[in-house]
Amino acid sequence: KMITVLVRLCGNLCYQCRQNQDSMRTILVPFAHEKEKAVLQHTDSTERTALHVLLSCTSFSYGCFTLREWAIVAVRNVLDNNEENQKLVEKLEAQQPVSTPELQKMGVKVDVTKKGEVRVLQANSTKNSHE
């Protein structure tokens, strides 16, 4: 798919190229919908950069199974020897858990506390997850 090709291109262009790595952090990407912007309201910034978009490609996609793998390679190339990019990623917090059929089959659920901590629980656990 085209998105995979674009992620591969970004990753390859950022390989050992500081200028392109910095561009991924500084280029702003507009939101297509207001719902997307609401996700960032819990962070210090409501701006989304190319690096944020690239990081969002690291979650599993059933429609394009190689996207995640190429996104991980691209993120590695964008962060390699670039402290500013690394600091931006360190500041990010988990916003919402991802539930997959595989996790459900294993009887596991992932939860995010109000503090942004990620926890893995038994699916039948009744603990209050937003402590």
Side-chain angles (χ1 to χ4, degrees), residues 40-69:
L40 284 181
Q41 287 179 347
H42 301 289
T43 64
D44 293 339
S45 174
T46 56
E47 295 180 334
R48 178 173 69 167
T49 68
L51 181 52
H52 290 104
V53 174
L54 181 61
L55 288 167
S56 71
C57 293
T58 61
S59 63
F60 185 73
S61 170
Y62 288 100
C64 186
F65 65 92
T66 60
L67 176 60
R68 180 177 182 269
E69 284 71 24

Side-chain angles (χ1 to χ4, degrees), residues 4 29 34 42 45 49 66 75-76 78 82 85 96-97 99 103 109 121 125:
T4 304
V29 179
E34 282 299 313
H42 301 289
S45 174
T49 68
T66 60
V75 168
R76 182 244 177 238
V78 171
N82 190 313
N85 286 356
Q96 60 187 2
S99 180
L103 290 174
K109 71 177 183 177
L121 306 168
S125 175

Side-chain angles (χ1 to χ4, degrees), residues 17-27 82 84-85:
C17 180
R18 181 61 182 241
Q19 182 178 356
N20 290 343
Q21 290 174 339
D22 290 343
S23 294
M24 292 294 288
R25 184 185 68 253
T26 57
I27 292 176
N82 190 313
E84 290 85 1
N85 286 356

